[in-house]
Amino acid sequence: MRCCDPTDAELGALARAGDGQALAVLLERWRPSLYATAIGLLGSRADALDALQDTYLAALAHVGELREPAAAGAWLRAVLRSTCLMRIRQRREVPYERVEQVERVGRLGRGEPADPVPGPEEALDRTMTREWVWHALGGLSEEERVTVVLRHFSRCTGYDAIARVTQVPVGTVRSRLNRARSRLAEALRASAEGAPTDHARMEAVRHRQWHEFYTALHERPVPRTYRDLFAADVEVRDAVGRWSGIERWSAHEREAIARGVRARIVGVLAARDLTVVEVDFTNPASAPGHCPAQATFVHTLVDGRSTTLRIHYPQARSSDRILKVR
């Protein structure tokens, strides 16, 4: 990799040609945007992380189908949205095989040809990053490896079908996939870390900025703490409220801080015009239900400052009293 960041087109072309590290760097670059989209669609950290990991594996399996390397970001977003849609449908208890049938009919209805489905070995050999994939699969247990190959590289992709082939309950299939998906996603991220980029440095800077912000706010909740990270006309929304302008928003948060609410950063994702901050809250004994336990803050940036902020709470209900804290 070069000392400065390659373009999406360059990374996409390299990934399509079989460069596993290029794909890893591309995925890491788009991770904040993909995760923010998943949070918006699914509303849960756990579900969003699972969808992101599924997107990583789908990208590994199908990067050879990327026709326009310069549109790699749009391709990844489409893969993620498809993954999220699948999860939403599964929540409604639509059988997996039926979902596959509906999606296949939809493709045919748009005039798209039905792709022939190869066997597992052939599918893996077609994968442009096959050497990386084979190496990564070698780090899984035999049961996890078989389950992943069936799920992502064969025609036997449904949970029920995999359960029949492997002769285990569907719940066991899901748990094996969850473990394997996490390990493969971590392996991809490790590949990206082996190629330092401007993005990695930017993310480290953003993490430090938000850590310093919370530290200063907890010590003394004053308005000027917000000036470096928020635009004067910032627009903030969550499931039940809306705040226009830095004064109204900072007053709202500072009131909670003054009551003893504390926020802890558990993760920061950063892109040029986006920052996603994962926060866990601790409420004071005098107000145990003041804030939800978790929140995901999605900041859209202009010139380094947040101009819009969307806040997502796991399973938040309109009847809940939700107050946000920095």
Side-chain angles (χ1 to χ4, degrees):
M1 306 296 293
R2 299 179 334 199
C3 62
C4 55
D5 279 358
T7 65
D8 280 2
E10 291 169 330
L11 289 172
L14 288 170
R16 190 175 62 178
D19 188 328
Q21 189 178 66
L23 177 60
V25 172
L26 184 66
L27 286 167
E28 191 68 5
R29 175 180 294 177
W30 281 93
R31 187 164 59 102
S33 178
L34 295 173
Y35 182 70
T37 300
I39 281 287
L41 291 171
L42 301 174
S44 161
R45 282 186 197 173
D47 287 346
L49 286 172
D50 286 348
L52 195 60
Q53 290 172 349
D54 275 341
T55 299
Y56 276 35
L57 296 192
L60 274 174
H62 301 290
V63 67
E65 300 170 12
L66 176 59
R67 297 179 181 178
E68 297 292 338
W75 178 70
L76 288 172
R77 284 196 299 270
V79 173
L80 176 82
R81 288 183 179 277
S82 177
T83 297
C84 291
L85 177 61
M86 180 73 70
R87 288 182 172 274
I88 292 170
R89 285 172 172 169
Q90 287 172 344
R91 287 176 181 174
R92 299 170 182 169
E93 300 182 348
V94 179
Y96 184 91
E97 286 78 4
R98 175 57 181 161
V99 173
E100 282 188 322
Q101 181 183 3
V102 169
E103 291 187 341
R104 189 178 305 114
V105 170
R107 289 197 300 270
L108 292 173
R110 293 191 298 269
E112 301 176 22
D115 297 329
V117 182
E121 294 289 332
E122 183 183 357
L124 277 167
D125 284 340
R126 284 186 183 181
T127 302
M128 293 286 92
T129 55
R130 55 186 174 275
E131 291 184 8
W132 191 98
V133 174
W134 279 118
H135 177 75
L137 289 174
L140 303 177
S141 69
E142 181 179 353
E143 293 83 4
E144 292 168 348
R145 185 163 54 250
V146 170
T147 304
V148 168
V149 168
L150 290 172
R151 176 72 172 89
H152 292 282
F153 299 96
S154 81
R155 69 185 68 205
C156 184
T157 58
Y159 292 153
D160 290 339
I162 295 172
R164 289 194 297 270
V165 171
T166 56
Q167 297 183 331
V168 297
V170 171
T172 301
V173 171
R174 291 182 182 275
S175 63
R176 288 177 179 175
L177 280 173
N178 285 338
R179 290 195 301 269
R181 181 177 56 211
S182 178
R183 292 176 185 176
L184 290 174
E186 285 303 313
L188 261 177
R189 293 200 63 194
S191 294
E193 291 172 0
T197 64
D198 290 341
H199 173 264
R201 289 186 284 273
M202 175 183 63
E203 195 157 88
V205 169
R206 299 270 180 86
H207 193 285
R208 185 177 67 252
Q209 287 176 330
W210 283 104
H211 175 75
E212 292 173 351
F213 176 89
Y214 283 109
T215 300
L217 198 63
H218 289 162
E219 292 177 357
R220 189 181 180 195
V222 294
R224 66 171 177 269
T225 306
Y226 289 77
R227 294 173 187 168
D228 289 339
L229 294 181
F230 288 88
D233 58 350
V234 62
E235 290 286 335
V236 183
R237 289 185 182 179
D238 68 3
V240 296
R242 177 175 180 174
W243 296 263
S244 297
I246 192 171
E247 290 82 6
R248 291 186 61 191
W249 171 239
S250 69
H252 180 75
E253 284 196 320
R254 287 184 291 110
E255 184 272 337
I257 291 292
R259 294 187 62 172
V261 175
R262 292 296 177 264
R264 180 175 66 89
I265 295 178
V266 296
V268 174
L269 303 179
R272 181 182 57 81
D273 57 356
L274 179 74
T275 303
V276 180
V277 185
E278 298 280 17
V279 180
D280 284 355
F281 295 116
T282 302
N283 293 312
S286 60
H290 194 278
C291 288
Q294 299 179 344
T296 300
F297 294 73
V298 180
H299 298 264
T300 301
L301 310 179
V302 174
D303 295 330
R305 286 184 170 83
S306 178
T307 57
T308 63
L309 170 57
R310 300 293 178 264
I311 306 170
H312 303 273
Y313 306 95
Q315 300 177 346
R317 300 182 301 273
S318 59
S319 59
D320 292 338
R321 181 167 184 254
I322 299 174
L323 294 176
K324 295 145 300 297
V325 186
R326 287 278 176 225

